[in-house]
């Protein structure tokens, strides 16, 4: 399917376990992002990637690891999940046109519960 | 850092009424984006604004980029039940090398009574 997809859509895990959330986009956008959404905080940037093999920290990176070996994929790993990482996670990609139009498109989200 | 204030936080309206919400920033933005989020889904882009004073429509939705470049508003005319959801504004500045970064408002929760 065209666009940006995330998997799984729902995940329940236990404290201390490693979890990987997947993100795939079919547009070949250079920039990709991971956000978490929590009540009272809105959307917060975890990590972003400007291109394959280029990643950098966002606002709340602690406890997360990312990689980007291919342009279309941007997985997010929680190395040792904690309850505070219970959240809804959104992946996004940035579309910049030659005309200067610059937007971000979001995936459907992964709802993660850490018990 | 940049701050975005979105208001109102929530609105309860009757079907058919018009709706207005706005975002104000503590600093200048070069881009304003408006998103809608349905329950259990990701934000969907509604309208993108790139120039001060720009007024853009998407069906019953109209958004404007404020002249000062520190605010934007979104209007919905003749609301219908499927307009229910959370509406987010997002702004992009041009501070050094971080022009990729969006600053998000906290959202306006819209409820439409049939």
């Amino acid at each position: 399917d065209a666009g940006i997809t995330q998997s799984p859509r729902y995940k329940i895990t236990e404290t201390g376990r490693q979890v990987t959330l997947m993100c795939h986009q079919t547009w070949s956008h250079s920039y990709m992002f991971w956000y978490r959404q929590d009540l009272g905080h809105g959307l917060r940037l975890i990590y972003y990637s400007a291109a394959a093999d280029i990643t950098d920290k966002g606002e709340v990176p602690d406890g997360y690891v990312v990689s980007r070996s291919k342009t279309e994929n941007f997985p997010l790993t929680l190395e040792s999940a904690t309850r505070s990482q219970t959240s809804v996670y959104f992946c996004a990609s940035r579309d910049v046109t030659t005309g200067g139009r610059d937007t971000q498109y979001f995936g459907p989200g992964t709802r993660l519960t850490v018990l | 850092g940049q701050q975005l204030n979105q208001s109102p936080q929530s609105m309860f309206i009757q079907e058919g009424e018009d709706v207005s919400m706005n975002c104000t920033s503590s600093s200048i933005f070069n881009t304003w984006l408006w998103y809608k989020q349905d329950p259990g889904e990701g934000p969907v882009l509604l309208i993108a604004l790139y120039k001060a004073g720009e007024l853009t429509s998407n069906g019953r939705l109209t958004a404007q980029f404020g002249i000062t470049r520190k605010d934007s508003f979104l209007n919905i005319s003749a609301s219908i039940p499927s307009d229910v959801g959370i509406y987010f504004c997002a702004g992009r500045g041009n501070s050094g090398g971080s022009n990729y970064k969006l600053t998000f408002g906290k959202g306006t929760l819209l409820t439409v009574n049939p």
Side-chain angles (χ1 to χ4, degrees):
Chain A
D1 289 346
I4 185 165
T5 57
Q6 293 183 237
S7 61
R9 292 295 312 276
Y10 302 90
K11 177 73 177 178
I12 299 174
T13 191
E14 295 177 337
T15 301
R17 290 192 180 267
Q18 184 179 83
V19 176
T20 296
L21 309 183
M22 304 301 294
C23 178
H24 176 78
Q25 53 112 351
T26 60
W27 294 305
S28 299
H29 292 163
S30 293
Y31 275 84
M32 295 185 74
F33 307 85
W34 274 105
Y35 295 91
R36 60 178 291 174
Q37 185 178 42
D38 305 285
L39 277 175
H41 292 283
L43 284 159
R44 293 182 290 174
L45 182 64
I46 305 171
Y47 267 95
Y48 71 97
S49 169
D53 297 322
I54 301 174
T55 62
D56 207 347
K57 296 177 180 179
E59 189 182 346
V60 287
D62 293 343
Y64 303 95
V65 174
V66 293
S67 62
R68 190 142 177 234
S69 58
K70 293 183 178 181
T71 299
E72 60 267 30
N73 297 324
F74 190 36
L76 175 75
T77 298
L78 288 66
E79 292 190 304
S80 179
T82 65
R83 289 184 181 176
S84 65
Q85 292 177 309
T86 293
S87 186
V88 182
Y89 291 85
F90 290 103
C91 179
S93 69
R94 179 189 182 198
D95 180 26
V96 183
T97 68
T98 53
R101 303 288 165 170
D102 189 343
T103 54
Q104 279 190 28
Y105 295 96
F106 286 81
T110 294
R111 184 174 294 274
L112 176 67
T113 301
V114 183
L115 301 176
Chain B
Q2 294 173 327
Q3 304 271 340
L4 260 189
N5 182 39
Q6 183 171 351
S7 65
Q9 288 187 346
S10 62
M11 302 181 73
F12 296 85
I13 62 170
Q14 292 296 124
E15 183 176 359
E17 290 183 356
D18 297 342
V19 171
S20 184
M21 59 192 78
N22 69 84
C23 281
T24 57
S25 168
S26 57
S27 54
I28 289 173
F29 283 140
N30 294 324
T31 300
W32 284 98
L33 305 173
W34 284 93
Y35 291 89
K36 184 193 177 197
Q37 186 175 19
D38 291 327
E41 299 296 330
V44 174
L45 183 67
L46 297 173
I47 293 177
L49 303 162
Y50 299 101
K51 287 167 42 175
E54 182 178 354
L55 184 72
T56 297
S57 293
N58 179 5
R60 294 178 294 105
L61 278 61
T62 302
Q64 186 160 26
F65 193 139
I67 293 293
T68 65
R69 296 168 66 191
K70 291 185 177 182
D71 61 347
S72 177
F73 72 76
L74 175 71
N75 284 347
I76 305 173
S77 63
S79 59
I80 59 178
S82 63
D83 290 334
V84 165
I86 301 176
Y87 292 80
F88 291 98
C89 63
R92 176 180 295 108
N94 194 28
S95 52
S98 62
N99 62 342
Y100 64 89
K101 185 182 177 199
L102 290 179
T103 301
F104 290 91
K106 294 285 177 66
T108 295
L109 173 61
L110 178 64
T111 303
V112 179
N113 295 319

